[in-house]
């Protein structure tokens, strides 16, 4: 029998709208020059990506639900839907969300899906709605829960509750909370770090509801310096179709340009910033540039600069077009 659980996302839409309007008004009457704030085109793109994800998710759910129901029928285990088992399922779903989220940052083909959510250079409540259209890469991470007897409808409820919780952490208008909350929960401070593009903040704070998973598995970083949002190589577009597909296109270009099957596999399944090792002897084949003279602006005499030694084939070649 299918559990009768509420659609928490549907019930939360009025709260989403109200909180977003309140945040917009707060920037109007209490601007913060250091905050990313709102920009009309960016917010419109985020809303469009969110609406599009609802439609595409309906398509992905058909085959995913078929797989989940097949596994659920095969397992002899059953988890009843009671108030205390729902709490345990929420805890377990958050644990597997952590690993799904982490996997979507460190495997490039999965990052191509998740990069959509990080593509905004703003950080506000509309950023929470900037969701991918190719979320079919998420479902394998939750198969263990189905195999343990969690009904697919109960899993869907837990995923929706996790998603709703994460809406409010996409804001700069909330500072750090009291220490007990910051230690246990994912908060706006922790999630600002997650969306930052600075090197020390990259690939940190994957937790959905709880931040304890990051503390346990070594991926936690506290907010210290002010975050700079977006990607290490930002995309100059508000076109929703390009936002949704730009990293897949970059992967295709890199695979076409790869010189071996191992490099092709690396471009797809290694990290977003992965580069192949230079070929042996390739450094020696690089020409050594002649010394050049550089004149400082307004300076009386040229300053002689030594020619730099070639670093590697990777440094000499054009950088791949993926975003991080």
């Amino acid at each position: 029998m299918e559990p009768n659980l509420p659609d928490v996302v549907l019930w939360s839409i009025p709260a989403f709208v109200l909180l977003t309007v309140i945040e917009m008004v707060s920037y109007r009457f209490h601007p913060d020059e250091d905050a990313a704030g709102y920009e009309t085109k960016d917010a419109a793109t985020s809303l469009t990506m969110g609406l599009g994800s609802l439609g595409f998710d309906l398509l992905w759910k058909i085959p995913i639900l078929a797989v989940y129901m097949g596994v659920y029928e095969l397992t002899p285990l059953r988890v009843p839907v009671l108030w205390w088992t729902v709490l345990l399922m929420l805890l377990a779903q958050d644990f597997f969300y952590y690993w799904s989220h982490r996997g979507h940052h460190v495997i490039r083909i999965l990052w191509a899906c998740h990069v959509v959510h990080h593509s905004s250079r703003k950080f506000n409540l509309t950023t929470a709605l900037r969701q991918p259209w190719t979320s079919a890469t998420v479902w394998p991470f939750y198969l263990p829960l189905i195999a343990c007897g969690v009904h697919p409808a109960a899993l869907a409820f837990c995923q929706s509750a996790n998603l709703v919780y994460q809406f409010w952490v996409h804001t700069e208008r909330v500072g750090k909370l009291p220490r007990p909350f910051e230690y246990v929960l994912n908060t706006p401070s922790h999630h600002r770090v997650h969306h930052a593009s600075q090197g020390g903040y990259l690939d940190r704070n994957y937790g959905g509801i709880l931040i304890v998973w990051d503390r346990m598995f070594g991926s936690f970083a506290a907010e210290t310096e002010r975050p700079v949002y977006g990607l290490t190589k930002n995309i100059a577009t508000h076109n929703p179709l390009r936002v949704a597909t730009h990293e897949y296109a970059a992967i295709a270009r890199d695979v076409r340009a790869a010189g071996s099957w191992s490099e092709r596999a690396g471009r797809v399944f290694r990290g977003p910033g992965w580069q192949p090792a230079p070929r042996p002897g390739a450094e020696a084949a690089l020409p050594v540039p002649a010394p050049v003279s550089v004149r400082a602006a307004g300076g009386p005499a040229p300053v002689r600069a030594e020619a730099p030694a070639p670093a590697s084939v990777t440094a000499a070649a054009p950088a791949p077009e993926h975003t991080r």
Side-chain angles (χ1 to χ4, degrees), residues 90-281:
L90 281 168
L91 181 66
Q93 187 275 332
D94 197 56
F95 173 78
F96 285 106
Y97 172 85
Y98 169 86
W99 289 108
S100 171
H101 196 179
R102 186 166 182 165
H104 279 72
H105 272 255
V106 301
I107 299 172
R108 192 180 179 194
I109 191 62
L110 303 185
W111 171 246
C113 162
H114 186 62
V115 67
V116 170
H117 186 60
H118 286 262
S119 60
S120 175
R121 300 174 72 175
K122 304 295 182 180
F123 190 74
N124 52 58
L125 293 176
T126 65
T127 308
L129 307 177
R130 186 176 286 227
Q131 296 295 323
W133 295 355
T134 55
S135 56
T137 56
V138 172
W139 68 270
F141 290 90
Y142 298 104
L143 276 175
L145 284 177
I146 304 297
C148 288
V150 174
H151 194 281
L155 173 60
F157 169 80
C158 294
Q159 289 175 312
S160 297
N162 200 313
L163 185 66
V164 168
Y165 176 87
Q166 290 187 60
F167 177 78
W168 80 281
V169 301
H170 291 82
T171 184
E172 292 187 280
R173 303 307 267 178
V174 177
K176 290 192 176 183
L177 301 179
R179 185 173 297 180
F181 295 98
E182 294 286 340
Y183 191 84
V184 175
L185 297 174
N186 184 20
T187 65
S189 176
H190 297 328
H191 209 59
R192 287 192 289 268
V193 168
H194 180 71
H195 274 258
S197 60
Q198 293 105 309
Y201 283 170
L202 285 178
D203 299 331
R204 298 290 178 176
N205 299 1
Y206 300 113
I209 297 175
L210 301 177
I211 203 67
V212 292
W213 312 123
D214 291 279
R215 296 184 185 277
M216 290 172 60
F217 299 113
S219 55
F220 175 75
E223 184 181 28
T224 52
E225 62 178 314
R226 195 167 196 119
V228 177
Y229 303 108
L231 306 169
T232 57
K233 182 181 178 182
N234 286 298
I235 53 173
T237 182
H238 292 102
N239 183 325
L241 185 60
R242 288 190 60 197
V243 172
T245 62
H246 70 273
E247 183 67 6
Y248 292 106
I251 291 174
R253 288 192 294 269
D254 286 346
V255 168
R256 283 197 301 268
S260 66
W261 283 106
S262 62
E263 183 181 347
R264 292 184 185 98
R267 295 296 190 188
V268 175
F269 298 110
R270 287 182 178 266
W274 178 82
Q275 291 290 314
R279 295 187 299 275

Side-chain angles (χ1 to χ4, degrees), residues 62-94:
I62 296 172
I64 292 171
L65 182 59
V67 174
Y68 279 173
M69 287 305 300
V71 174
Y72 183 76
E73 291 300 325
L74 288 173
T75 180
L77 304 175
R78 291 292 182 268
V79 178
V81 178
L82 306 170
W83 71 266
W84 61 272
T85 59
V86 169
L87 293 178
L88 292 177
M89 285 188 281
L90 281 168
L91 181 66
Q93 187 275 332
D94 197 56

